[in-house]
Amino acid sequence: MYLGIVIGNVWATRKYDQTKGFKFMFVQPLNAENQKIGEPIVAIDTIGAGTGEKVIYVTASEAVIPLPVDFAPIDASIVGIVDSINLEK
Amino acid sequence: MYLGIVIGNVWATRKYDQTKGFKFMFVQPLNAENQKIGEPIVAIDTIGAGTGEKVIYVTASEAVIPLPVDFAPIDASIVGIVDSINLEK
Amino acid sequence: MYLGIVIGNVWATRKYDQTKGFKFMFVQPLNAENQKIGEPIVAIDTIGAGTGEKVIYVTASEAVIPLPVDFAPIDASIVGIVDSINLEK
Amino acid sequence: MYLGIVIGNVWATRKYDQTKGFKFMFVQPLNAENQKIGEPIVAIDTIGAGTGEKVIYVTASEAVIPLPVDFAPIDASIVGIVDSINLEK
Amino acid sequence: MYLGIVIGNVWATRKYDQTKGFKFMFVQPLNAENQKIGEPIVAIDTIGAGTGEKVIYVTASEAVIPLPVDFAPIDASIVGIVDSINLEK
């Protein structure tokens, strides 16, 4: 899983049926010190993450598991909203 | 999922049977500010995306789900055509 | 699999149900000479790895296998704690 | 999927049983302008691609689908031989 | 699949049960000219590859297939020992 921050969303009306009803969020990956790393990805949100919230997201095949359908062409999902990060100094 | 823009297509007559009938589109990945990032990938289109349209595409195992066959050696598919992007400033 | 060192953890109270009860650890990837490479990822720990321990972690679909549930949206898990590394000079 | 050019092959006599009988080809990834990008990968060929031919190859789990066996430890396969590339200028 | 050379191994006594009995080898990725590329990964060996041998390794879900168990949290396996590489000049 990866740490990221929700920076916005993407609106698409013409889309594949099994992705309808899900919100496409832009998530900027962050490192452990909250610095931006790489480019934003688009993840499905099923737990109510809002713009500006720090989240944990999952990629690859497992990303479809949070959805209430058996199969969907989804490869990134938000699975947790971060309360705190504890780093060994 | 990732944001991209369709920049063309690839024509292949000799190809693996289960990929016949699908269009191979060249998709240039974009970041949230619509700047090109990295190199184009080849994705299957099942929703009628045309050259010049901004799209959301999915990679990995889930890419085969939009296709009307059970199995196909496909690892990237267009799943939505982007209407707008909303970024928190 | 990859070599890494546990550098901390992430606390998330609002998270997807099937990830509850698992610890989200920050793991810094290391190369064979124990130098940091790339950015930390977030991995589930099921074998009791503590901060400061060197571990082997697995990514992608196989990461869910150590968990006592059939399906979970998990894409990185710690699978071993490193005793020693032997390199041919 | 990705665009590439076959640049050679790899010969291995001691190999895992389920990969026997397949040709291991070296494929150099190309971008849309036919420039080399990154390092070559090793892909299975099931459609008769020869050295010097431009191909589309698939990676990840789907790479095993073109093979006449149910399971094989294969993560890259050639799925088409490119006739032409059409780019919007 | 990728070309690499076995450079050593990793010893872990506390590890996830389903990975016991397998050797964790350090494999340095190589390009077609036998130059090192990127950082070593940790792969399971089931065909008897020794340190200093050039190998083909597979990643992702397919890496578990060479193992004599149905499921194991493994994402990289050695599937062949290289005899020769033939490149078109």
Side-chain angles (χ1 to χ4, degrees):
Chain A
M1 288 73 65
Y2 303 93
L3 181 66
I5 186 166
V6 181
I7 61 168
N9 58 64
V10 180
W11 197 256
T13 45
R14 282 174 293 164
K15 58 184 173 180
Y16 182 68
D17 275 1
Q18 284 171 317
T19 63
K20 284 180 179 157
F22 301 120
K23 289 171 71 179
F24 283 5
M25 309 302 282
F26 254 119
V27 178
Q28 168 65 52
L30 298 176
N31 66 12
E33 286 78 29
N34 292 315
Q35 295 163 321
K36 295 181 182 186
I37 50 173
E39 298 287 354
I41 58 101
V42 178
I44 293 289
D45 174 36
T46 61
I47 56 172
T51 303
E53 281 190 297
K54 257 186 281 185
V55 295
I56 298 292
Y57 65 94
V58 65
T59 60
S61 306
E62 286 63 39
V64 77
I65 294 175
L67 308 186
V69 295
D70 280 348
F71 296 102
I74 296 300
D75 64 3
S77 294
I78 295 169
V79 295
I81 300 176
V82 173
D83 293 319
S84 65
I85 296 170
N86 309 296
L87 292 183
E88 190 86 348
K89 293 298 174 187
Chain B
M1 288 74 64
Y2 303 93
L3 181 66
I5 185 166
V6 181
I7 61 169
N9 57 64
V10 181
W11 196 256
T13 45
R14 282 174 294 164
K15 56 184 175 179
Y16 182 67
D17 276 0
Q18 284 171 318
T19 65
K20 284 181 180 158
F22 301 121
K23 291 171 69 179
F24 283 6
M25 310 302 283
F26 254 119
V27 178
Q28 168 65 53
L30 299 176
N31 66 12
E33 286 78 29
N34 292 316
Q35 295 163 321
K36 295 181 182 185
I37 50 173
E39 298 287 354
I41 58 100
V42 179
I44 293 289
D45 175 36
T46 61
I47 56 171
T51 303
E53 282 191 296
K54 256 184 282 185
V55 296
I56 298 293
Y57 65 94
V58 65
T59 60
S61 305
E62 287 63 39
V64 79
I65 294 175
L67 307 186
V69 296
D70 280 348
F71 296 101
I74 296 300
D75 64 2
S77 295
I78 295 169
V79 294
I81 300 176
V82 173
D83 293 318
S84 66
I85 296 170
N86 309 295
L87 292 183
E88 190 86 350
K89 294 298 174 187
Chain C
M1 288 73 65
Y2 303 93
L3 181 66
I5 185 166
V6 180
I7 60 168
N9 58 63
V10 180
W11 197 257
T13 45
R14 281 174 293 163
K15 58 184 174 178
Y16 182 68
D17 275 0
Q18 284 172 317
T19 63
K20 285 181 180 159
F22 300 120
K23 289 172 71 180
F24 283 5
M25 309 302 282
F26 254 119
V27 178
Q28 168 65 53
L30 299 176
N31 67 12
E33 286 79 28
N34 292 315
Q35 295 163 320
K36 294 182 183 186
I37 50 173
E39 298 287 353
I41 58 100
V42 179
I44 292 289
D45 175 36
T46 61
I47 57 171
T51 302
E53 281 191 297
K54 256 187 280 184
V55 296
I56 299 292
Y57 64 93
V58 65
T59 60
S61 305
E62 287 62 39
V64 78
I65 294 175
L67 308 185
V69 294
D70 281 347
F71 296 103
I74 296 300
D75 64 3
S77 293
I78 295 169
V79 295
I81 299 175
V82 173
D83 293 318
S84 65
I85 295 170
N86 308 296
L87 292 183
E88 189 85 351
K89 293 297 175 188
Chain D
M1 287 74 63
Y2 302 93
L3 181 67
I5 186 166
V6 181
I7 61 168
N9 58 64
V10 181
W11 196 256
T13 45
R14 281 174 294 162
K15 56 184 175 181
Y16 183 67
D17 276 359
Q18 284 171 317
T19 64
K20 284 181 180 157
F22 300 121
K23 291 172 68 181
F24 284 6
M25 310 301 283
F26 254 119
V27 179
Q28 168 66 52
L30 299 175
N31 66 12
E33 286 79 28
N34 293 315
Q35 296 164 320
K36 295 180 183 186
I37 49 173
E39 299 287 353
I41 58 101
V42 179
I44 293 289
D45 175 35
T46 61
I47 56 171
T51 302
E53 282 192 296
K54 255 185 282 183
V55 296
I56 298 292
Y57 65 94
V58 64
T59 60
S61 306
E62 286 64 37
V64 79
I65 295 175
L67 308 185
V69 295
D70 281 348
F71 296 102
I74 297 300
D75 64 2
S77 294
I78 295 170
V79 295
I81 300 175
V82 173
D83 294 319
S84 65
I85 296 170
N86 309 296
L87 292 183
E88 190 85 351
K89 295 297 174 188
Chain E
M1 288 74 63
Y2 303 93
L3 181 67
I5 185 167
V6 180
I7 60 168
N9 58 62
V10 181
W11 197 255
T13 45
R14 281 174 294 162
K15 57 184 174 179
Y16 182 68
D17 275 359
Q18 284 171 318
T19 64
K20 284 181 180 159
F22 300 121
K23 290 172 70 181
F24 284 4
M25 310 302 282
F26 254 119
V27 179
Q28 168 65 54
L30 299 176
N31 66 12
E33 286 79 27
N34 292 316
Q35 296 164 320
K36 294 181 183 187
I37 50 172
E39 298 287 354
I41 58 99
V42 179
I44 293 289
D45 175 36
T46 61
I47 57 172
T51 302
E53 282 192 297
K54 255 186 282 184
V55 296
I56 299 291
Y57 65 93
V58 65
T59 59
S61 305
E62 287 62 38
V64 78
I65 295 176
L67 307 185
V69 294
D70 281 347
F71 296 102
I74 296 300
D75 63 4
S77 294
I78 295 170
V79 294
I81 299 175
V82 173
D83 294 319
S84 66
I85 296 170
N86 309 295
L87 292 183
E88 189 86 349
K89 294 296 174 188

